[in-house]
Amino acid sequence: MLWKVLRMVIGLLCGYLFVISLSAIFPFHYEEFLGEFILNPFEFLAGAVALVFGMYAIGGLIRDGGVAVISAYKGYKNTVPDIILAISCLSSFFLLSPIGAWQTAVFFVFCLLYGMMSFSSPEDTNES
């Protein structure tokens, strides 16, 4: 359980780094975006790495929360901490949204997609 809490903190920090590393350009012009990418490649690379690590950390927690909900529905016990952690993980996106709304939305969508792609039901774990 401590490892999952640590993953949530790491995911939140990586999300914060992703949000602050991508500057908001309104209205969006691809010339300005490419100019920022060419002039500051390290900042763009740091944001991409933070996105990948944060997506892995939070997406895994979302997956574990989904598996815990299905397990609780089927009558298994001791799934409440995973469900609470997944809900608190989803609520961490509300902490990031005042810093950058569209960057947080992109981060949330990637985390959710990774969590859904890596999802496996509890019956799939008993392979012969």
Side-chain angles (χ1 to χ4, degrees):
M1 188 62 171
L2 181 63
W3 172 244
K4 290 184 180 184
V5 172
L6 184 64
R7 280 177 56 187
M8 186 177 81
V9 171
I10 289 171
L12 184 62
L13 288 174
C14 287
Y16 177 74
L17 289 174
F18 172 73
V19 168
I20 64 168
S21 68
L22 291 179
S23 61
I25 302 171
F26 289 111
F28 181 76
H29 297 290
Y30 67 91
E31 297 93 5
E32 292 179 32
F33 180 74
L34 288 176
E36 281 292 320
F37 174 64
I38 292 170
L39 294 175
N40 295 325
F42 180 73
E43 188 174 343
F44 186 79
L45 180 66
V49 169
L51 173 69
V52 169
F53 282 120
M55 181 178 64
Y56 174 72
I58 293 189
L61 292 175
I62 292 172
R63 176 199 61 221
D64 293 345
V67 169
V69 167
I70 290 174
S71 297
Y73 181 73
K74 291 185 177 184
Y76 295 112
K77 305 292 183 201
N78 300 330
T79 59
V80 175
D82 286 336
I83 295 171
I84 291 172
L85 194 60
I87 291 171
S88 65
C89 184
L90 290 176
S91 67
S92 68
F93 291 108
F94 291 110
L95 294 173
L96 295 174
S97 63
I99 300 168
W102 73 269
Q103 296 100 327
T104 303
V106 168
F107 184 64
F108 174 71
V109 166
F110 277 115
C111 289
L112 193 64
L113 286 175
Y114 176 75
M116 289 185 338
M117 286 186 335
S118 63
F119 186 79
S120 64
S121 63
E123 296 92 33
D124 293 343
T125 58
N126 297 335
E127 295 182 13
S128 306

